[in-house]
Amino acid sequence: MNDMTPPKAERAAALKGLGSARKRVEDARFTQGKGNYVDDLKLPGMLFGDFVRSPYAHARIKSINADKAKAMPGVVAVLTAADLAPLKLHWMPTLAGDVQMVLADGKVLFQGQEVAFVVAQDRYIAADAIELIEVDYEELPVVVDPFKAQAPDAPVLREDLECKTEGAHGPRRHHNHIFTWEQGDKEATEAVLGSADVVAEEMVYYHRTHPCPLETCGCVASMDAVNGKLTVHGTFQAPHAVRTVASLISGIAEHNIRIISPDIGGGFGNKVGVYPGYICAIVASIVTGVPVKWVEDRMDNLMATAFARDYWMQGRISATRDGKITGLWCHVTADHGAFDACADPTKFPAGFFNICTGSYDIPVAYLAVDGVYTNKAPGGVAYRCSFRVTEAAYFIERMIEVLAIKLGMDAAELRTKNFIRKDQFPYHSALGWEYDSGDYHTAWDKALNAVGYDSLRKEQAQRLDDFKAGRTRKLIGIGLAHFTEIVGAGPVKNCDILGLGMFDSCEIRIHPTGSAIARLGTISQGQGHATTFAQILASEIGIPADDITIEEGDTDTAPYGLGTYGSRSTPVAGAATAMAGRKIRAKAQMIAAYLLEVHDDDVEWDVDRFAVKGAPERFKTMKELAFAAYNQAIPGLEPGLEAVSYYDPPNMTYPFGAYICVMEVDVDTGEHEIRQFYALDDCGTRINPMIIEGQVHGGATEGYAIAMGQEIAYDEIGNVKNATLMDFFLPTAWETPHYTTDHTVTPSPHHPIGAKGVGESPNVGSVPAFSNAVHDAFRPFGLVHSHMPHDHWRIWRIARDLGLHG
Ligand code: PCD
Ligand SMILES: [Cu+]
């Protein structure tokens, strides 16, 4: 053997491939302020657009007078629905099969709705001109409560649909009703519940909140009148889908549209949807012949772009006396606001909420979801929860706690008793999913041991005694959660968005000197794709990750893909990357065999090279093979070394985890302190442990915010009460808890490298853990359930209602 050859392990380490805690390559730019965000873009002659927004939640528009605004120096154009109507762009399709007004057409349906679009030479002129536009509104009765919206005499919100009894997802039974979605076996479930030993029942509300990324939504539209090409730089989580939809609704040929997502300052689901600002900026650029920028301010973003959650989940769960769960029943009233603009795969109007049987082996279940219109902003995006999975996990993890109370059982034990066992995978759930793999008992036991569960319970009991004896005013709550996520949408056969199948893609080009560029159909918003996708490739093709450029987000260069949300990049584009890498390797193998003068089958892969079987000293490195691919005529082979893969996953992946929160609550002030937060995640094969840890910190912090105070609340006349960061809770370093992360590894059996998603998991798992901790603290005093967010006032109120204030 060649003495100069470093050992296998050393060569593998040099690649910084799978499993390496490689530092994020994008951060050199980001931490030095060298990011390139939409608002950094300045094109020659660029104009600025901004909206007149409705102050009312429901009103008829009697007239709009823009004369004064148009006369103002620096104002170039004002668009209203009347201007867009001839182009048929005053309404647009939503991702959920509904339609939405681009600019108010006759009436407004939520506070902050776009009424007119002002285009001016700079942002400040646009803002001043907005003030000069006179809109004559006639107020209409407002409906903010989704239950009252269904009353027979409730005001008609969507006059455009008034006599339509069929919606995008089946029959509508009321003028404010959108759809009913049913899953599971109703009769069997009701029969089980009807004769069960124990039935626990609860209404679990997951309040309306907002992803609130650091960077708001925006775009710069630029129509080149000479060559007819429309270029739109924007904060898009799915650039290719935007291109196709833009082509379909504008009639511009798809090759004449170029969508570019530059750096994105956090997406979290907020940047999946299509917003009126995009359409207006495009139309304004076509009308004025120069680029038009539209970027939201913070209030616009909180008030008008897609919200998340707002699910009223009525649940019933049954069990035997000794705690074996026998059935689950759930009815959801889903408040969709004024238009159904949910971002879910077409066949799933309530996303993957039917994962609500969670981590448990529940023999029968039934679920019905009713979508309802109200006078609130449209949306219904994930916010780090892959299509309503957070709602589902919160629901089942609350129901488990409620059942434990009813049974007088320890909630950890109840979970252990009902987990799907390792030998049951692949597991078919009662509501229709096939869980790919899992080992819940191992993860759960590891978590309970790590936090010292038994001694925590003893300490908690001691604290309770002290409280009752008047020695302390603080209680301890232990919040448990075990979640099962479902990410990686998805098989094209059942997952599409507006008819676009949810596969994803990767295209690789190896350069002659042995470095490479790979382009994907996804787009990072901070997740670190430039770092991790290079790691997948490094392990597959033996080229160091540092020598591989990852590029995403430009539809003129990237292969078609459905984008990044629902933690789908790793399960889908990550799989495409591995598969494309394998194609490269297969060709490299033929080149190696030729150069080594042996048969193709007589060379074998060895970390970064092909070597002759049984003669490892005879080898060709990937670097040598790349050079040969371009510089040597090889009989029977085309020159070059490139590959592309479009990957349609056979199934979703099912990451899971065990989260435990130890919290102290002050009974008199309602304040809390997170003493400990333990998060165990199993996302299958781990690409980059450091990035995973960062994802868990970020997601758990968002979960903390949601559980402990963050919400978009409306008053009874539809005013948004938290449309500024003064009122909307975004945790700073000061409030953010300290996290302990841990993991187990249960690879996905169908993913080429066994990886599952992880980005969303920490939100899915942490919200129930935080909330259950609050509930657990008050369990000895009879608290069964209380709605989130658990801000100081609400916790104080729980204590007061339980008579703990003396
Ligand atoms: N196993 C594994 C998995 C994963 N990973 C990593 O981690 C990350 C993530 O991943 P995923 O899970 O696959 O995911 P994606 O697709 O990429 O992403 C998405 C997500 O992501 C998260 N995270 C984050 N981060 C940041 N920084 N930013 C942002 O924005 C964000 N967002 C959020 C969200 S919300 Mo939705 O949209 O709601 O649906 S969905 C979501 C990346 O980097 C990757 O590679 C690793 O390493 N390993
Ligand atoms: Cu989500």
Side-chain angles (χ1 to χ4, degrees):
M1 172 135 170
N2 187 338
D3 296 338
M4 301 304 287
T5 303
K8 241 188 217 307
E10 214 170 281
R11 283 186 285 129
L15 296 178
K16 298 192 195 155
L18 282 186
S20 134
R22 182 181 186 221
K23 283 196 178 150
R24 292 171 39 113
V25 294
E26 40 276 270
D27 287 356
R29 260 178 340 104
F30 291 159
T31 55
Q32 293 177 50
K34 301 258 168 62
N36 170 36
Y37 299 93
V38 169
D39 206 30
D40 293 323
L41 192 71
K42 294 181 178 67
L43 298 179
M46 188 171 75
L47 301 173
F48 296 79
D50 203 353
F51 283 109
V52 175
R53 292 180 183 275
S54 170
Y56 298 108
H58 197 195
R60 199 156 310 283
I61 295 187
K62 293 167 73 182
S63 65
I64 301 176
N65 184 344
D67 292 347
K68 284 185 196 147
K70 283 180 181 160
M72 190 177 152
V75 172
V76 180
V78 176
L79 299 177
T80 62
D83 301 302
L84 298 182
L87 306 166
K88 297 210 167 45
L89 288 174
H90 54 320
W91 288 73
M92 62 180 184
T94 70
L95 295 180
D98 195 1
V99 287
Q100 176 178 346
M101 292 177 202
V102 173
L103 290 171
D105 184 18
K107 71 190 275 195
V108 286
L109 287 157
F110 64 92
Q111 187 180 55
Q113 188 179 333
E114 300 79 1
V115 175
F117 190 68
V118 177
V119 186
Q121 270 154 9
D122 69 42
R123 231 195 132 127
Y124 305 96
I125 298 175
D128 289 343
I130 281 168
E131 305 294 323
L132 298 179
I133 293 182
E134 292 152 359
V135 185
D136 191 4
Y137 296 98
E138 179 191 306
E139 283 184 72
L140 294 168
V142 173
V143 192
V144 289
D145 178 328
F147 297 97
K148 290 185 185 152
Q150 298 175 77
D153 59 345
V156 178
L157 303 189
R158 292 290 299 278
E159 286 161 7
D160 60 308
L161 302 177
E162 200 176 347
C163 13
K164 285 203 178 145
T165 52
E166 241 349 88
H169 309 289
R172 304 170 65 219
R173 50 169 174 65
H174 178 276
H175 51 261
N176 294 327
H177 178 243
I178 310 172
F179 63 83
T180 301
W181 188 58
E182 284 181 284
Q183 298 280 291
D185 190 334
K186 183 167 194 237
E187 249 171 63
T189 306
E190 284 174 354
V192 166
L193 285 160
S195 61
D197 291 356
V198 181
V199 178
E201 182 158 3
E202 197 54 66
M203 170 63 98
V204 179
Y205 178 48
Y206 199 141
H207 57 291
R208 179 177 276 241
T209 181
H210 193 283
C212 194
L214 265 186
E215 179 202 28
T216 59
C217 301
C219 70
V220 178
S222 174
M223 183 72 188
D224 185 327
V226 177
N227 64 16
K229 183 139 184 166
L230 171 68
T231 303
V232 188
H233 289 77
T235 50
F236 310 123
Q237 290 185 234
H240 283 97
V242 170
R243 187 186 70 191
T244 303
V245 173
S247 172
L248 290 174
I249 57 185
S250 69
I252 301 172
E254 198 165 353
H255 71 285
N256 275 334
I257 303 179
R258 179 180 185 187
I259 304 293
I260 301 174
S261 294
D263 288 330
I264 295 182
F268 308 111
N270 190 226
K271 294 164 179 172
V272 174
V274 177
Y275 297 122
Y278 305 155
I279 311 259
C280 289
I282 292 172
V283 172
S285 175
I286 295 173
V287 170
T288 61
V290 287
V292 175
K293 178 186 277 187
W294 165 73
V295 176
E296 295 171 326
D297 67 18
R298 184 58 60 189
M299 286 181 77
D300 296 341
N301 181 255
L302 284 169
M303 238 182 351
T305 58
F307 73 93
R309 327 290 197 245
D310 218 343
Y311 259 33
W312 292 89
M313 306 172 285
Q314 179 76 42
R316 288 156 69 201
I317 187 165
S318 62
T320 60
R321 209 79 15 258
D322 60 351
K324 186 81 192 94
I325 299 172
T326 52
L328 178 72
W329 180 99
C330 178
H331 178 267
V332 179
T333 300
D335 185 338
H336 286 232
F339 306 95
D340 184 7
C342 265
D344 294 309
T346 309
K347 297 190 184 83
F348 297 89
F352 303 152
F353 187 87
N354 54 331
I355 191 82
C356 67
T357 51
S359 310
Y360 312 101
D361 183 16
I362 303 182
V364 286
Y366 169 71
L367 162 70
V369 182
D370 277 303
V372 177
Y373 291 122
T374 59
N375 289 119
K376 299 182 189 169
V381 287
Y383 188 1
R384 216 165 187 149
C385 78
S386 64
F387 311 127
R388 306 286 187 185
V389 179
T390 299
E391 288 90 325
Y394 183 64
F395 168 73
I396 185 67
E397 290 304 295
R398 283 300 305 139
M399 290 309 292
I400 291 283
E401 296 282 318
V402 172
L403 178 63
I405 292 171
K406 192 118 194 192
L407 289 163
M409 225 172 133
D410 176 83
E413 188 194 335
L414 179 61
R415 286 181 173 83
T416 303
K417 203 162 196 148
N418 289 285
F419 282 141
I420 300 162
R421 293 184 323 272
K422 193 180 173 185
D423 58 86
Q424 287 176 285
F425 291 93
Y427 173 81
H428 291 265
S429 78
L431 292 177
W433 296 113
E434 184 191 304
Y435 294 23
D436 62 345
S437 64
D439 183 356
Y440 301 164
H441 285 102
T442 302
W444 192 238
D445 292 345
K446 192 173 182 188
L448 295 179
N449 283 330
V451 299
Y453 184 67
D454 294 335
S455 50
L456 275 176
R457 283 289 178 208
K458 284 191 194 114
E459 186 193 346
Q460 184 188 37
Q462 178 61 51
R463 181 67 68 88
L464 190 61
D465 288 347
D466 290 347
F467 180 83
K468 286 180 176 159
R471 290 188 291 269
T472 179
R473 296 297 290 164
K474 286 186 181 169
L475 297 169
I476 296 178
I478 304 169
L480 305 173
H482 189 286
F483 66 92
T484 295
E485 251 270 69
I486 166 171
V487 299
V492 170
K493 63 176 186 295
N494 60 358
C495 284
D496 70 274
I497 285 191
L498 295 178
L500 307 169
M502 297 179 78
F503 59 85
D504 228 288
S505 59
C506 173
E507 183 195 281
I508 306 170
R509 259 179 225 180
I510 313 289
H511 308 314
T513 52
S515 66
I517 182 166
R519 298 190 168 100
L520 291 88
T522 46
I523 173 72
S524 189
Q525 308 127 36
Q527 292 87 342
H529 290 178
T531 306
T532 53
F533 285 119
Q535 292 182 248
I536 297 179
L537 267 185
S539 291
E540 290 292 339
I541 63 175
I543 289 178
D546 290 344
D547 294 345
I548 303 171
T549 298
I550 299 291
E551 204 182 87
E552 300 176 305
D554 182 342
T555 58
D556 263 11
T557 55
Y560 204 99
L562 266 281
T564 293
Y565 43 85
S567 265
R568 64 187 299 281
S569 304
T570 302
V572 194
T577 304
M579 298 309 273
R582 287 171 195 183
K583 290 184 187 173
I584 296 277
R585 214 162 87 183
K587 183 165 179 186
Q589 177 167 4
M590 293 191 269
I591 300 172
Y594 173 78
L595 297 177
L596 293 163
E597 297 178 332
V598 294
H599 189 270
D600 288 358
D601 295 340
D602 291 332
V603 291
E604 62 187 355
W605 179 246
D606 174 22
V607 182
D608 54 358
R609 64 194 59 190
F610 276 103
V612 175
K613 280 184 188 162
E617 72 286 357
R618 295 188 56 213
F619 62 81
K620 291 286 170 192
T621 62
M622 270 309 281
K623 214 177 156 82
E624 292 169 316
L625 295 170
F627 199 75
Y630 290 93
N631 296 299
Q632 189 158 345
I634 299 169
L637 279 186
E638 288 178 6
L641 197 49
E642 297 191 7
V644 56
S645 165
Y646 284 81
Y647 189 81
D648 178 10
N651 190 4
M652 313 251 193
T653 66
Y654 297 74
F656 60 93
Y659 284 17
I660 300 176
C661 170
V662 184
M663 185 187 289
E664 303 227 354
V665 294
D666 185 316
V667 169
D668 296 318
T669 63
E671 286 173 300
H672 67 267
E673 184 204 332
I674 309 296
R675 246 175 51 179
Q676 187 180 0
F677 196 98
Y678 170 89
L680 179 151
D681 276 277
D682 191 318
C683 53
T685 305
R686 292 150 50 87
I687 303 163
N688 184 324
M690 189 180 63
I691 286 200
I692 292 173
E693 191 179 11
Q695 287 291 309
V696 174
H697 284 203
T701 302
E702 288 182 323
Y704 170 73
I706 294 168
M708 305 310 290
Q710 185 178 86
E711 67 174 324
I712 295 289
Y714 285 80
D715 70 11
E716 63 288 351
I717 55 164
N719 292 307
V720 182
K721 297 202 284 183
N722 338 54
T724 75
L725 294 185
M726 291 294 287
D727 308 296
F728 185 81
F729 175 43
L730 263 200
T732 62
W734 180 254
E735 294 96 357
T736 300
H738 180 79
Y739 303 108
T740 307
T741 56
D742 202 347
H743 64 276
T744 54
V745 176
T746 312
S748 165
H750 60 79
H751 188 283
I753 60 165
K756 304 180 177 185
V758 77
E760 307 205 314
S761 297
N763 198 321
V764 174
S766 68
V767 173
F770 287 116
S771 177
N772 284 345
V774 174
H775 287 94
D776 187 65
F778 294 103
R779 176 175 166 170
F781 303 96
L783 178 69
V784 177
H785 181 78
S786 180
H787 295 318
M788 291 191 292
H790 306 296
D791 51 24
H792 301 166
W793 173 67
R794 285 185 176 88
I795 291 181
W796 176 87
R797 203 179 52 178
I798 292 172
R800 181 200 63 191
D801 293 351
L802 293 171
L804 301 182
H805 290 162

